[in-house]
Every structure is written in C-alpha cells, then in structure tokens.
Amino acid sequence: MRDGKSGLTLGRIVLLTLLMALATQVVLMCIGYRYAGSVSRAMSEQTESLQAEQFQRNTLNELSDMNSLMLLLQTSDYSNLFRNLMKLRPEEYVAREKELLNEKLDSLRISPELFQSIYFIGSNQNQLSYRKTVGGEFKEMPDLNIDALSYAKIYDFFISNYNQISRYGKGEYLSKYRETSGLLSEENRASIEAMIDDLDDQPVMVRGNKNILVLFVLNKDLFRRVMPDGIGDARFSVVNAKDQLLWSTSDEASFRSAVVQAQGTDKEGADGNRHTVLPLPTFDLRIVYTSEKTDDFLKQSDLLRRLVLVSGLTLAAVSIFTYAYLKQIFRPFRTVSSRLKNKLVNANNEMVLLPIPEAIVRNRFRRISMRTQFMIMFSAALMLPAVVNGLLFSRTINSEVSSWISQSADKLGKWSVTSIGNQIRYAKNVTNQIGSSRQFQNYLIDNQVNRAVSEDQVDLKLFPGLNDISYFVLLDDSGKSMYSSIFSNNIDNFKTDFRLLENRDDAYWLTQYRDVFNHLSVAVVKRLDIQFQNRAAYLLVVPKDTLFRLVETDQIRVAFVITDSNGERVNAYRTMTEASKSGLTYRYSDRLAGTSWKIELEFMFNDALVKSQAFQQQYALSIMLVFVIAAGAAIAMAYVLTRPIQRLRETMHAAEGDGIPRQLDQEQRGELAGIVTSYNRMIAQLELTTAQNRRITEENAQNKIRQNELMSLKTQAELHMLQAQINPHFLYNTLEMINMQSMRNGNREVSSTVNALADLLRYSIAKGADTAPLDRELNHAANYLKIQQARFGSFDYSFEIEAEARPYPVLRFILQPILENSIKHGFEGWEEGGRIVIRAERLEAGLELTVSDNGIGMSEKDRARLETEWASGLSEWSLEDRGIGLKNVYLRLKLYYKEGMSMAIESGPMQGTTVRIRLPWTEGEEA
C-alpha cells in the first residue's frame, strides 16, 4: 500500500543515510586529495630541482670538455705549429706544417656537436690564417689577420668578449664594422664579411693572445645535448654575464625576455612563471630553469573525477541497499496494515473482522527486533562504504601517485643516463686530448727516462682535465708499466695484460679492470703517437669514482649499477639492495649512448613514503571515526523510527486488558504510520459498525416476519392453484373426444388447436419440480402461441434456438406471461402484421432468453415505472398482484435464482419491445 504520503518516512531515511554516507565520502576524498596534492607538488618541486641541478652539472661537464680542448689548442703543441705557417717560409715547409696541424686537429676527435668551426687568425699579413670546419676542410684565409680586424674596428669587439661565450647577430657585427677604412683592401673586406656571415647568430668564444686570435664557433645546440629527449615541457635557458640569451628551449619572445631579466633563485617573473637561476661561475654564465605557471591541481589531474565516480557508484549502491533493506523491514508492517484495511469492510460495505493468519506473522516478521534491524542497516550503510571506499580511494590515489612518481623517475632516469653518458664521453675526450698533447708526451718521456727526478706524485692540474683522473699509467705494448702518476717507485704494480691493449687511434674503455688498489673499476686506454725503445706506448687512465656520481637530495636518493655487454658490473653507486630497503623505490634502465653498457637506476622517494604513511594513518583514523558516528546514528535513528510501533503496541496491550479500544494520536506520516492509520481506521469502523449492527438486527427481525408472511402467501397461492385443477382424466378424455369428432368431420384446424390446448393443460397442471428443460418450456410457449394465433390471427411467430441450450432446465412458465403481454398489449388493435421472435443462446456464464415483438411498444415513462415496481422487491407483493405478467415473472425468477438472474426491457413507442432474461447455470447442469 502506498498513498500520497506513505513513502515519506522511507524516503527520509534513505536521504539521511545518503547524506551521512556522502559526508563520509567527502571526508575520505578530502584526505586523499590533500595527500595526492601534497605528493604532486612535492614531486614536481623535487623533480624540477633535480632536473635543474642535473642540467647545471651536465652543462659544467660539457663546458669543461670544451674548455679542455680550448686550452689544449692554446698550448705550444698547436700554437707553434700555427706560428710556423708563415707566408715567408718555403711553400713545401708550409704545406707540411699545415698537414701536420690538420692531422693533430683530427686526432683530437672534436665532436661537431660541440664545435662548428675554429678560426686561427694570425697577427699580420705575413702570417697565414685558417678556418677549420669540424669534421671537414682546413681552409686557408690569406686576407684575414688581426691587423685587418683592427682597421675594421672588429678586433676590439672580439677582445671585449674575450674568454666569454657570446652570441651576436650579423647586424650587431656590422654595426661595429668600419668597412670604409682606407687601410682595408677589397680582399680584406671580403674575408671579414665572409667571417661575419659565418658568425651570424652563432655562439662564439674568443681566445688567444696578441700574436694569435682563436675564435671558437660553437654549435647552436651545444646545450641541448646535455639534456635527454622526452622529458616533457622542461624549459631551460643559458644567459651570459652581458644578459645575452645564448640558448633556450623556447622560441617565444616574451619567454626569452623574461628569462634574460631573471636574477637570483626561485624568482617569479612578470609572466607568472617561476625562474630558478643556477650559476656557472667558472664560465661567467647562468642557467635559468623555468617552471611554467600551471592550473590548480584539480585541473591538472583527472583524479578527482575518478574519485567522484567511485563515490557516486558507492552512493548508488548505498541507496539501493538502504531502500531494499527498508522495504524488507517495513514489509510485514505494511502487510498487517493492508490486512487491517482490507478486512474492515466487504463489497457490501459490511464490517468483516477476520483474524490475521499467524503464518504471516511468523513468515514476515524476523526474529530480531525492528530496532536491531535499523541499527544493522545504518551500520552497514555507513561502515561498509567507508571501508570499501577507503580501500578503493587508497588504491586509486596510490595508483595515481605511483604514476606521478613513475613519471618523475622516468624523467630523472633519462637525466641520469644523459649525465652518466656525458661523463663517460668527457673522460674519453680528456684521454684523447691529453694523449695527443706533445707537451704531455714530453713530460712522460722525461719522467720515464729520468725517474729519479721526482718521486712525488705528479701534479694532475698541470694538464687540462686531469683533475677528474685518479691516476694514469704509461704502458708499452707488452703491458709493462714505464711510468705511473702515483706510487712511481713501484711501477711494477701497474703491469697490465697486453691482450687488453688494442691498436686503435681513438681512446676506448676497459671494463672489469682491477686498479692498483685491487678495486673493480674501469679505465680508458689511448695509444700514443710516440714510442719507447721501439715499442708502442699506451696511456691508461683510471677516472675517479666521483666522475659517475649523480645529483640527489635527501628526499630523492639514487642507486645505480652499470653492466657491460656480457652483463658484468662496470661500476656501481650505492647497492640496489640497500636502496630497496630505504624507502619507496622505482627503477629505470637504459643503454648508455656510445657504449654497449647498460645502466639500471633505482630512485628512492623518501618524502613520498613519509606522506604515504601519514595518508594511511589518516584514512584508518577517519574510518574508525565513521564507525563511532555510524553506531551512534544507528542507535538514535532506530529509537526515533520505532517509537510509533512501541506506542501502538502499548495501546493494543491496554485495549486487550480493559476491552476498550482507543485511537492513537498520529504524530508523523510514513511507512510506519500506515499501520497506525489502519488501526485508527479499524477502531473508528468498529464504533460505526456497532451502531449499524443494532439497526441491522432490528431490520433483520422485521424481515424475518415479512419472509414468513411471504411463505404463507406462497402456500395459499399453491392451494388456490390446486382448487382450480379439475380432474385431469375427465379433461383429457373430453378434449380427446372433441379431437376425434373434429378429425371425423375433417376439421383439422380444430384438431390442432385442441391438441395444443391439451399439451398446454398437461404442462400447466403437471406435478413435480419447479424447473423443466428449456425444450419443454419452449414447447409450452409454442402451444400457447398456436392457440392465440388461432384465436386472433393477427401475428406470426418463430423460434431461434441453439441446440446446446435446449436440454438445460429453466424455471417453468417464464415465457408464456411475456408472450401474453406482447399479444395483449403489443398487438392491441392490430388486424395483421404482428411478429414475435423467441431466441435462446448459450453464454459462457449461463443462458440468455429473448422475446421480441414489433408491436406498439411502450413509452420511457411506462418502462421506468415497470422497472421501479420490480425494484420494490418482494416486500411490496401481495396476492392481489399475482396476476400472470412481467412483474410475476421477474419476482419468481428473483425468488428462485436470487442475484444470479437479470431481466431487462428494451422498448420505445412504435419500436416494439424486447424482453431479455439471463439465467445462471444451476447446480447439476452440464458445463
């Protein structure tokens, strides 16, 4: 049962449960969101800081590599060769020296990713100038010299940027260029302008002295190769001391302008971005790492959308569970309420008080109390979603955090691989450079020939790049050590397996090398262009362990291991096992460019681990708090919701004790209030029924007296009928005699009439049951019509009878009065043209008899009056009204069939009359 207000209590309970569950979800989401946001921000800041420091370190290595090469080219090995290229010397000598210089430059294996070209510019017109394209030609520039540059006012411009990396456009060079100087020849101008075209927008470093000017034209992407590919939108820039933007990952004009203006550390620029400035003091440069201004964390991640989706699904499940459980709780009470309501009155509006079957109470009501059921429902609806969503939220958030940390580890891994690769390349380049240095070779020869010169360690700072070297050894082709930078009195300790020495021009790496301290290490070997005692010489360099160190912080630690192509360890920093035990770890592995080595890194995110532990503790505390709140809410709500039932129970117990029914004051509406409403309605109906029963009892007594009178009238009527009966044998014999005489005289019409009268009389006075087969009743009607037709001759008749209807019994003498009424009133004054049709049709629920005529009919008023007389019932019937007519037929049918019959008249003036009777199948009839 659900009326307009019956669902309020159920709806309010569901709504209240959803609101409490929603509050729980919001608390859990806020905790998770706060944790995820803090991890995201911390990871972003720490990753950005490490990226900036990695870029700084990689750039320093790159610049150091570049600086070592520049210093080497300024040594006497190269400067003397260049000075020998005088125009005044024989051409054969110049050609030979030029070829030697070119070979020495090629032997340095200068990377085109580092330098684009190098200008060697002599002091005057008597000294040749050259341009060496890295990896390409060595071109003579006869009309380019320092004097010409001075006349053109370009030399001072170069000197103003001495030992600094600068970058100028062609327009800036031309703004300083004095091409109209009378001291410049056309050839000088052409050479200078060609050089300006070559230097246009290129990073340039000026070195040399008053006798020689060396211009190093750097690669535009010099700084790009210190950073890995695929690191997202990290934005780096390099600015020199004159605030020139030498290089940037962005081409945006506004961004480049903001970078140039950035000073200090972690400064927010005018564009809202944060610029982290890191110095490169040795080279008077600064690195600017720009963190772009991002939207709120909610807009950066779809985490909130996923949490809301999970929460929505949970709330839907809570709603369905609560509604279904409440329906189960309320169902027995609604069943009882429905039973109470439906059993109050029947179809006749009579009071019916039937007991509620005990089976309903046993089956519908659970053994546990309603209050306990409410407590279970509230506890389950709040605690279970809190636990389940706590797990789902935790899993979703941890998955998202893990994804962020994995992305950070991937970025840092790429930076680390690039950094280690640059350091490996740097060590190899240093070995190539110092191995090609004639000064260094002479130093080795001097120390090898006269070992007693000094037993002290060699000052590694004498040569560029050797400050990152642990020690170096000079070996012959048999692996015998001839000189070592340390322990020079025990050079036999540095003997090396000759099979490790290869006849290669460039430097190469040795793995699985045991150093002098018996530590597993790596070494770089370079074959020198000198010989000792007619034996090839090799330089073996062992780098310091610090060469392979990576940038890290207290929050993000790193461990790594490098393995060669055979899977053997090359180098390691902090064991992976120790790293795994120290915190939240993520691994990254890759190949090191330019080698067959593989590096595997493990990052330890200690800060993320601490935040994760705090997050789990807060979640556990929140869920415990939800348990407490749910228990309190369950107890309170159960008390409020079961109070109406408790009051009803107390009222019923009171009524059971004193026998006086009492109504309840209804304080609320809803599912539980339904049974209270039904109870009050039952009490009100009982009071009304008690008054009605008194009146009905009196009326029943009067009806009983009247019924007895009717039975007396019926008996008297039957006696009158018996008195009217004449000796049947006398009547039958007399009619038979008349029939025989009519037949002798040939009067068959009279004979037929007499036979019909005899059958009619026989049917009328026959004793026995009140019913007869329909076929006999129809035969009686036919005899009556035959006699009346012979009498009046003003009508015809016909029968339309279904064969299935003929055997079924009907009350006797129900057709003749109707036919008499049609003949007497319907055809009154007619000479001919009357028509009567009798139909019988079997229906699903009984039998339908129809008598239709085409007579004068009756008015609506007469028809209504006749039906009113029928409705007056037996109470208005007396012996004076027993005449054979429609009312007689209706009353007899009503007495016999009671409510199972119906009789209706369809008529209108000059439209004929149809009497329709429907009779039920009586007991014992065929189906």
Side-chain angles (χ1 to χ4, degrees):
M1 176 191 70
R2 288 186 67 89
D3 55 23
K5 299 179 180 179
S6 63
L8 288 177
T9 300
L10 190 149
R12 286 174 179 172
I13 297 174
V14 173
L15 180 60
L16 177 61
T17 307
L18 284 178
L19 290 176
M20 296 180 68
L22 177 61
T24 303
Q25 307 302 311
V26 170
V27 171
L28 293 177
M29 280 195 294
C30 288
I31 295 174
Y33 169 74
R34 182 180 178 184
Y35 159 68
S38 65
V39 171
S40 174
R41 287 187 292 271
M43 289 304 304
S44 177
E45 293 173 1
Q46 293 167 17
T47 302
E48 289 174 358
S49 175
L50 282 177
Q51 286 187 112
E53 291 182 22
Q54 284 280 28
F55 185 82
Q56 180 191 33
R57 179 172 180 177
N58 292 354
T59 303
L60 279 172
N61 287 339
E62 193 79 354
L63 294 175
S64 297
D65 193 6
M66 179 188 72
N67 189 57
S68 297
L69 180 60
M70 291 179 178
L71 292 175
L72 182 63
L73 293 178
Q74 291 177 263
T75 61
S76 59
D77 290 349
Y78 295 89
S79 61
N80 289 338
L81 285 173
F82 179 73
R83 289 192 184 97
N84 291 334
L85 299 179
M86 302 286 289
K87 290 182 180 180
L88 302 178
R89 290 182 179 272
E91 293 184 2
E92 295 80 4
Y93 178 82
V94 172
R96 186 172 63 252
E97 292 294 305
K98 176 181 177 184
E99 183 66 25
L100 179 60
L101 177 60
N102 189 38
E103 289 176 359
K104 288 184 69 65
L105 290 174
D106 290 338
S107 68
L108 293 175
R109 304 284 190 250
I110 302 174
S111 172
E113 295 179 344
L114 194 61
F115 293 99
Q116 177 176 305
S117 60
I118 304 173
Y119 284 86
F120 298 94
I121 303 175
S123 61
N124 54 55
Q125 61 181 358
N126 294 322
Q127 195 170 1
L128 292 174
S129 297
Y130 291 89
R131 176 177 179 267
K132 171 64 178 177
T133 301
V134 176
E137 63 179 349
F138 191 61
K139 182 180 179 182
E140 182 178 338
M141 305 185 72
D143 300 303
L144 185 66
N145 52 67
I146 294 177
D147 288 343
L149 293 177
S150 299
Y151 300 151
K153 303 301 182 182
I154 295 295
Y155 179 74
D156 292 339
F157 183 61
F158 285 141
I159 294 302
S160 66
N161 293 285
Y162 186 82
N163 205 30
Q164 291 184 352
I165 301 177
S166 59
R167 185 175 182 176
Y168 295 102
K170 182 177 179 180
E172 292 175 282
Y173 284 113
L174 293 177
S175 66
K176 306 294 182 180
Y177 175 41
R178 180 81 62 83
E179 64 175 337
T180 58
S181 174
L183 300 175
L184 291 176
S185 66
E186 290 297 328
E187 291 78 8
N188 293 144
R189 293 190 185 94
S191 296
I192 293 174
E193 290 171 4
M195 183 184 69
I196 290 176
D197 289 337
D198 187 44
L199 300 182
D200 180 26
D201 202 31
Q202 292 291 137
V204 176
M205 178 170 275
V206 180
R207 290 289 184 90
N209 50 50
K210 62 180 181 178
N211 296 319
I212 182 173
L213 182 67
V214 183
L215 296 180
F216 295 93
V217 183
L218 310 181
N219 192 308
K220 279 187 176 181
D221 289 330
L222 164 69
F223 301 101
R224 183 175 295 279
R225 74 170 186 165
V226 305
M227 58 187 297
D229 296 329
I231 57 170
D233 12 355
R235 304 178 77 175
F236 293 94
S237 306
V238 179
V239 183
N240 66 10
K242 294 184 177 182
D243 291 337
Q244 282 185 313
L245 185 63
L246 301 179
W247 174 84
S248 176
T249 56
S250 176
D251 293 328
E252 299 175 14
S254 58
F255 171 76
R256 296 165 73 94
S257 174
V259 165
V260 171
Q261 297 172 12
Q263 300 288 339
T265 304
D266 294 340
K267 179 180 179 181
E268 183 172 335
D271 54 356
N273 297 329
R274 186 165 58 90
H275 303 288
T276 301
V277 182
L278 299 175
L280 296 172
T282 304
F283 302 94
D284 207 8
L285 301 175
R286 67 177 186 271
I287 294 171
V288 180
Y289 173 68
T290 302
S291 303
E292 291 191 28
K293 185 178 182 180
T294 57
D295 293 332
D296 185 71
F297 169 68
L298 285 174
K299 299 179 182 178
Q300 296 182 44
S301 172
D302 66 343
L303 175 63
L304 184 61
R305 180 185 60 80
R306 285 188 283 168
L307 294 182
V308 170
L309 178 61
V310 172
S311 180
L313 294 176
T314 302
L315 292 177
V318 169
S319 176
I320 294 173
F321 165 77
T322 305
Y323 182 79
Y325 197 89
L326 287 175
K327 294 285 284 187
Q328 291 294 326
I329 295 176
F330 288 134
R331 181 174 295 174
F333 296 97
R334 295 176 65 189
T335 301
V336 171
S337 175
S338 177
R339 288 277 180 162
L340 288 174
K341 178 179 179 181
N342 295 337
K343 292 300 181 181
L344 289 177
V345 294
N346 59 14
N348 295 328
N349 204 28
E350 298 173 344
M351 185 68 180
V352 179
L353 293 177
L354 298 178
I356 298 176
E358 294 184 3
I360 293 179
V361 178
R362 288 196 303 269
N363 297 335
R364 297 287 185 178
F365 287 85
R366 301 179 181 179
R367 294 183 179 180
I368 56 178
S369 67
M370 188 176 188
R371 180 176 298 180
T372 303
Q373 293 183 59
F374 275 122
M375 292 175 63
I376 293 173
M377 185 272 295
F378 276 109
S379 300
L382 295 180
M383 295 180 185
L384 289 180
V387 173
V388 173
N389 266 26
L391 295 176
L392 291 176
F393 285 176
S394 178
R395 182 173 180 179
T396 302
I397 292 170
N398 285 332
S399 174
E400 186 75 7
V401 169
S402 178
S403 175
W404 295 335
I405 296 177
S406 179
Q407 292 174 12
S408 296
D410 188 64
K411 287 182 180 179
L412 296 179
K414 292 179 179 179
W415 275 105
S416 300
V417 169
T418 301
S419 178
I420 295 292
N422 288 342
Q423 291 160 15
I424 291 174
R425 184 176 64 250
Y426 171 70
K428 188 175 178 181
N429 289 342
V430 167
T431 303
N432 270 324
Q433 292 166 15
I434 63 177
S436 300
S437 170
R438 177 66 62 181
Q439 182 181 3
F440 182 74
Q441 293 173 3
N442 291 336
Y443 181 87
L444 292 178
I445 293 173
D446 291 342
N447 281 273
Q448 190 273 337
V449 172
N450 187 7
R451 297 182 182 175
V453 171
S454 175
E455 294 183 358
D456 297 331
Q457 293 185 356
V458 176
D459 185 4
L460 300 180
K461 296 182 180 179
L462 290 174
F463 305 102
L466 289 185
N467 58 325
D468 292 317
I469 301 300
S470 177
Y471 67 89
F472 59 87
V473 181
L474 180 65
L475 303 170
D476 62 15
D477 55 7
S478 66
K480 179 182 177 182
S481 60
M482 296 181 290
Y483 173 78
S484 67
S485 61
I486 59 174
F487 307 137
S488 57
N489 291 332
N490 299 291
I491 59 175
D492 291 338
N493 294 334
F494 298 94
K495 181 175 176 59
T496 304
D497 187 351
F498 73 93
R499 289 172 297 184
L500 299 178
L501 305 177
E502 301 178 9
N503 188 21
R504 297 169 55 175
D505 291 334
D506 61 329
Y508 61 92
W509 284 94
L510 291 180
T511 60
Q512 303 301 305
Y513 176 75
R514 289 285 177 179
D515 62 16
V516 71
F517 306 105
N518 200 30
H519 295 158
L520 191 64
S521 181
V522 292
V524 187
V525 178
K526 165 73 174 177
R527 184 174 63 84
L528 302 180
D529 294 332
I530 59 175
Q531 290 187 343
F532 292 102
Q533 300 174 358
N534 297 321
R535 303 180 69 90
Y538 292 86
L539 178 66
L540 186 146
V541 177
V542 178
K544 292 180 179 178
D545 287 340
T546 56
L547 183 68
F548 297 99
R549 292 292 176 88
L550 292 173
V551 177
E552 57 184 354
T553 65
D554 291 337
Q555 291 78 25
I556 302 180
R557 310 287 287 175
V558 64
F560 70 83
V561 60
I562 301 174
T563 56
D564 60 17
S565 58
N566 297 321
E568 299 292 339
R569 196 187 79 168
V570 174
N571 202 319
Y573 173 65
R574 190 180 289 117
T575 63
M576 307 290 271
T577 305
E578 294 176 357
S580 300
K581 294 180 180 179
S582 63
L584 190 64
T585 61
Y586 282 83
R587 294 199 173 193
Y588 178 86
S589 62
D590 200 354
R591 294 284 178 184
L592 290 172
T595 70
S596 60
W597 299 350
K598 178 182 179 181
I599 183 172
E600 185 175 359
L601 301 109
E602 190 164 47
F603 294 93
M604 296 146 281
F605 298 92
N606 299 327
D607 188 50
L609 178 65
V610 172
K611 293 181 183 297
S612 176
Q613 292 172 345
F615 165 64
Q616 302 297 340
Q617 293 173 358
Q618 290 180 357
Y619 250 35
L621 181 62
S622 299
I623 292 175
M624 292 176 61
L625 184 62
V626 168
F627 284 174
V628 174
I629 295 175
I635 295 173
M637 289 300 300
Y639 173 77
V640 172
L641 293 172
T642 56
R643 186 171 60 183
I645 298 300
Q646 186 66 26
R647 292 179 60 250
L648 176 62
R649 179 183 177 185
E650 294 172 355
T651 302
M652 286 184 171
H653 283 174
E656 182 181 4
D658 55 23
I660 301 176
R662 301 176 179 84
Q663 291 194 14
L664 283 170
D665 295 334
Q666 186 138 348
E667 299 177 356
Q668 62 178 0
R669 298 182 182 275
E671 297 291 340
L672 292 175
I675 191 171
V676 177
T677 302
S678 297
Y679 172 79
N680 288 340
R681 190 178 299 163
M682 181 187 69
I683 298 301
Q685 189 66 30
L686 280 173
E687 295 173 350
L688 177 63
T689 302
T690 301
Q692 290 178 345
N693 284 345
R694 296 193 186 95
R695 180 177 57 81
I696 292 173
T697 301
E698 296 174 356
E699 291 179 354
N700 286 342
Q702 295 177 358
N703 289 339
K704 189 66 176 179
I705 296 173
R706 186 59 180 165
Q707 186 175 4
N708 290 336
E709 292 178 353
L710 291 175
M711 294 301 295
S712 176
L713 290 174
K714 181 180 179 183
T715 303
Q716 294 179 28
E718 291 176 348
L719 289 175
H720 281 291
M721 290 180 66
L722 290 174
Q723 292 174 0
Q725 292 180 356
I726 308 173
N727 190 328
H729 296 288
F730 173 76
L731 292 176
Y732 295 156
N733 290 337
T734 302
L735 290 174
E736 182 63 27
M737 179 188 68
I738 295 173
N739 181 40
M740 294 299 293
Q741 289 180 351
S742 298
M743 291 182 65
R744 290 193 195 100
N745 296 329
N747 195 342
R748 296 186 176 275
E749 184 177 353
V750 173
S751 174
S752 175
T753 303
V754 169
N755 282 333
L757 178 60
D759 288 342
L760 187 148
L761 181 60
R762 187 181 296 112
Y763 182 78
S764 299
I765 65 177
K767 297 180 180 179
D770 292 336
T771 62
L774 176 61
D775 195 47
R776 292 189 60 191
E777 179 68 11
L778 293 172
N779 186 59
H780 175 68
N783 288 330
Y784 175 75
L785 290 173
K786 186 182 294 184
I787 294 172
Q788 291 295 78
Q789 189 181 43
R791 180 182 177 188
F792 297 105
S794 59
F795 66 90
D796 292 327
Y797 64 89
S798 64
F799 290 88
E800 298 178 4
I801 310 300
E802 289 185 356
E804 294 85 353
R806 289 183 178 277
Y808 291 95
V810 297
L811 192 63
R812 298 168 63 193
F813 304 115
I814 58 176
L815 293 178
Q816 180 184 337
I818 300 174
L819 297 172
E820 181 181 356
N821 189 71
S822 295
I823 297 170
K824 181 178 180 181
H825 299 290
F827 303 139
E828 183 177 4
W830 285 34
E831 295 294 334
E832 60 181 6
R835 179 72 178 173
I836 297 176
V837 179
I838 300 96
R839 298 182 179 88
E841 181 181 1
R842 179 182 175 182
L843 302 177
E844 182 179 354
L847 180 70
E848 181 178 85
L849 299 175
T850 305
V851 178
S852 302
D853 64 62
N854 60 348
I856 63 176
M858 64 179 70
S859 65
E860 180 66 24
K861 181 179 180 181
D862 291 339
R863 189 185 66 78
R865 179 182 57 78
L866 184 58
E867 289 183 348
T868 302
E869 291 179 357
W870 294 353
S872 63
L874 299 175
S875 61
E876 303 299 328
W877 188 33
S878 63
L879 288 175
E880 288 73 13
D881 298 324
R882 68 182 185 276
I884 302 175
L886 295 178
K887 182 176 181 180
N888 178 276
V889 173
Y890 177 82
L891 294 177
R892 288 178 62 233
L893 291 172
K894 194 71 172 179
L895 282 173
Y896 187 79
Y897 293 104
K898 296 184 172 54
E899 301 302 326
M901 58 77 62
S902 67
M903 181 172 173
I905 298 177
E906 300 171 5
S907 183
M910 301 309 296
Q911 295 181 5
T913 301
T914 297
V915 178
R916 196 179 307 278
I917 300 174
R918 291 189 177 182
L919 304 177
W921 299 129
T922 58
E923 188 176 349
E925 294 175 351
E926 298 180 17

